[in-house]
Amino acid sequence: TAEKITVAAIPYITEEQAHTAFGKANPNKYGVLPVLVVLENGTGKALRLDLQAEFIDPAGKHVEATPALDVTFIGGNKRPPKIPGSSGAPFPIPRRQKRGPLDTLEIEGRAFTARLLPAGESVYGFFYFQTEHRPGSKLYVTGIKDAASGQDSFYFEVPF
């Protein structure tokens, strides 16, 4: 908690946790770490949210959050279809990439999308990182501003 703004983060690392949030889709199986982020506004004024989140491992390596739409393509068909009877040359026409096994309503529907946080309220949602959880990691969050003045709030580092 800083300036009456509270940020909490929970990495979903077990299969049980993933099942409660995403059903049959387990992002961890595909190298995606979902992190639930909860913000509570005790400032007495509205906050504008343009959140940026980074996962920082114990060695100091930063991993930016992957947009939820991009997560739905992870594990999908990445090779263009081949022309039948040819020497294996791909079709010359660009094809739409097939979405992967994480293409579920829960992945995009549970992503953090809030843009405004009224006074006295709380919001939550998931950020997705293409990394594995390591003890001693932390989440770095920026992009919280006073809605009226546009003044930035402090950044938050939340240890896991």
Side-chain angles (χ1 to χ4, degrees), residues 77-115:
N77 182 13
K78 292 189 168 79
R79 295 183 183 174
K82 306 290 182 195
I83 299 173
S86 72
S87 62
F91 278 118
I93 303 169
R95 297 283 176 152
R96 186 171 161 224
Q97 186 179 12
K98 181 181 176 188
R99 291 190 178 202
L102 296 177
D103 182 21
T104 65
L105 294 174
E106 291 84 3
I107 295 293
E108 285 189 86
R110 288 184 168 54
F112 195 99
T113 58
R115 296 287 175 219

Side-chain angles (χ1 to χ4, degrees), residues 39-42 47 116-123:
L39 268 76
E40 186 175 287
N41 181 0
L47 299 173
L116 186 69
L117 180 53
E121 299 288 323
S122 61
V123 293

